[in-house]
Amino acid sequence: MSELSAVVPRPLPWLIPRWQELCRLANADRLPHALLFSGAHGIGKQSLADALIARTLCVDPGEYACGQCHACQMLLSGYHPDLLRISPEDGKRQIRIDAIRQVNDVVSQTAQQGGYRVIVLSPAEAMNVAASNALLKNLEEPGGNILFILLSDVPSRLLPTILSRCQHWPLALPSQADCLPWLSSQLDNEEHASFWLQAAGGLPLRALELAEPDARALRQQLHDTFDALVRGAEPLDTAARLDRQSIDAILWYGIAWLEDLIRFGLSGNEQHVYNADLLPLYRQAVKNGRVRDWFRLLDYAREQRRLLASGGNPNPQLVLEAWLIRWSTLLRS
Ligand SMILES: [Zn+2]
């Protein structure tokens, strides 16, 4: 059984203080029936949720789920009858009302294992209005021994009625000291860990994603694109060389780099830049452009990303072209 207990879910190291708060509440029987864990993608919300799901379903938990009891073994084998996870279907962006109907079924039955029933919605902001409204009734009158866990990157996109019925746990950006040792061990290299953590704006799991070979290749390609635009290349020629399916990632980099540019443009301080390898380009861009225009471009990129995430959008090719045309206008002197 020891190999099983080794994989009992635990929160990532920088979330341990939040975990201890949750355990104190659970031990005092004061865990609310609906929790919302929010924080930027890459902060580790899922690890906190997984640890709590396991501990809540476990028959004999200590600080963590025991890993030995029947409930733990079911969960570790991948199926527990009292756990319902709801996410958008494959290839879809929204959680629809059909999925929420399963919640009604779970809530109206008694727990098959006699303990808690746990319902996880991720990302909660993917619920459309009909789904959110259908969930409300369950959040209001959940009955005993039910725990809802909602995960959200952007809690402001949840309906206020949903927000007000959950206890909100915003997860703060970890300090470097709290997450760098973990990231260094994942990447086997402290210097790389530090570089990617900065490039990811301090989000450790996002840093891991950025350090993957495919993500690095895309970043290099965008770096070259940025360089070409600063030198006056035609944005439409440049757009043709990029994969329009990567539009969300392209916009993500665009936003991160614009934020860098704005920090640098306003302060003139190179220490404020997260992507130090882009400094030569930033210096040129600062000579060519105006901070006010970059703010406008930043708003545009955020709005396009929001539209893409909500599934309400547009042709990725057109978004990509419009994006590069706007960039090039600002970057050219
Ligand atoms: Zn257990």
Side-chain angles (χ1 to χ4, degrees):
M1 228 49 85
S2 56
E3 64 281 354
L4 267 183
S5 59
V7 293
V8 165
R10 295 185 175 200
L12 287 160
W14 55 92
L15 294 169
I16 295 292
R18 304 314 303 273
W19 173 250
Q20 290 166 342
E21 291 174 58
L22 284 169
C23 289
R24 276 195 292 275
L25 286 176
N27 291 340
D29 243 344
R30 285 176 43 227
L31 206 58
H33 72 277
L35 288 163
L36 166 63
F37 296 147
S38 74
H41 169 78
I43 215 161
K45 299 184 286 297
Q46 190 70 53
S47 78
L48 195 62
D50 285 340
L52 185 62
I53 293 163
R55 191 181 189 275
T56 305
L57 293 171
C58 175
V59 172
D60 186 24
E63 187 181 359
Y64 300 103
C66 76
Q68 316 274 328
C69 70
H70 185 53
C72 281
Q73 288 184 31
M74 277 196 290
L75 189 63
L76 291 172
S77 74
Y79 173 75
H80 192 295
D82 296 322
L83 171 64
L84 174 64
R85 293 180 191 266
I86 298 181
S87 288
E89 287 171 36
D90 284 346
K92 300 275 166 52
R93 295 190 185 273
Q94 289 191 338
I95 295 175
R96 294 175 186 280
I97 191 164
D98 304 356
I100 303 299
R101 294 210 173 97
Q102 299 172 61
V103 175
N104 298 335
D105 296 342
V106 171
V107 168
S108 60
Q109 293 157 8
T110 49
Q112 298 201 25
Q113 298 299 311
Y116 259 88
R117 285 155 288 164
V118 181
I119 296 152
V120 186
L121 291 126
S122 173
E125 65 268 32
M127 282 187 290
N128 64 19
V129 173
S132 296
N133 286 329
L135 183 68
L136 269 185
K137 196 170 86 61
N138 292 308
L139 284 179
E140 280 161 357
E141 302 163 19
N145 285 3
I146 292 189
L147 176 64
F148 285 92
I149 303 176
L150 281 69
L151 303 181
S152 173
D153 294 354
V154 193
S156 59
R157 288 187 200 149
L158 289 167
L159 286 188
T161 42
I162 296 280
L163 267 175
S164 67
R165 283 157 182 80
C166 298
Q167 192 177 93
H168 190 176
W169 287 54
L171 305 181
L173 203 63
S175 72
Q176 249 201 11
D178 283 343
C179 64
L180 205 52
W182 175 85
L183 191 59
S184 299
S185 76
Q186 297 292 313
L187 294 175
D188 263 339
N189 183 318
E190 194 171 330
E191 206 177 314
H192 288 177
S194 180
F195 175 83
W196 290 113
L197 186 62
Q198 276 240 311
L203 294 160
L205 299 181
R206 183 72 185 131
L208 264 193
E209 290 173 1
L210 295 186
E212 295 272 331
D214 283 355
R216 290 164 79 145
L218 177 64
R219 186 177 185 277
Q220 184 57 51
Q221 209 185 358
L222 291 171
H223 189 157
D224 296 343
T225 301
F226 194 176
D227 192 51
L229 291 178
V230 169
R231 291 164 196 276
E234 272 306 314
L236 292 184
D237 296 347
T238 319
R241 273 182 241 117
L242 292 172
D243 173 13
R244 62 198 168 88
Q245 297 313 324
S246 308
I247 182 67
D248 183 65
I250 292 170
L251 289 172
W252 185 87
Y253 282 108
I255 290 168
W257 296 356
L258 269 171
E259 287 173 345
D260 251 2
L261 253 181
I262 290 170
R263 274 190 292 269
F264 181 47
L266 288 177
S267 69
N269 185 342
E270 299 188 352
Q271 303 295 320
H272 291 179
V273 159
Y274 290 174
N275 297 270
D277 56 330
L278 273 76
L279 258 173
L281 288 171
Y282 292 157
R283 288 194 200 103
Q284 189 59 43
V286 164
K287 273 189 214 154
N288 295 355
R290 290 177 310 176
V291 175
R292 196 178 51 199
D293 296 330
W294 298 332
F295 274 114
R296 224 170 279 145
L297 189 57
L298 187 60
D299 290 343
Y300 172 81
R302 286 184 174 146
E303 175 62 8
Q304 292 302 315
R305 255 195 115 215
R306 191 191 66 75
L307 286 172
L308 283 166
S310 67
N313 192 18
N315 179 330
Q317 182 72 36
L318 295 181
V319 175
L320 182 57
E321 288 175 2
W323 169 240
L324 292 177
I325 288 169
R326 281 161 192 258
W327 259 112
S328 75
T329 318
L330 293 193
L331 293 172
R332 287 179 191 184
S333 45

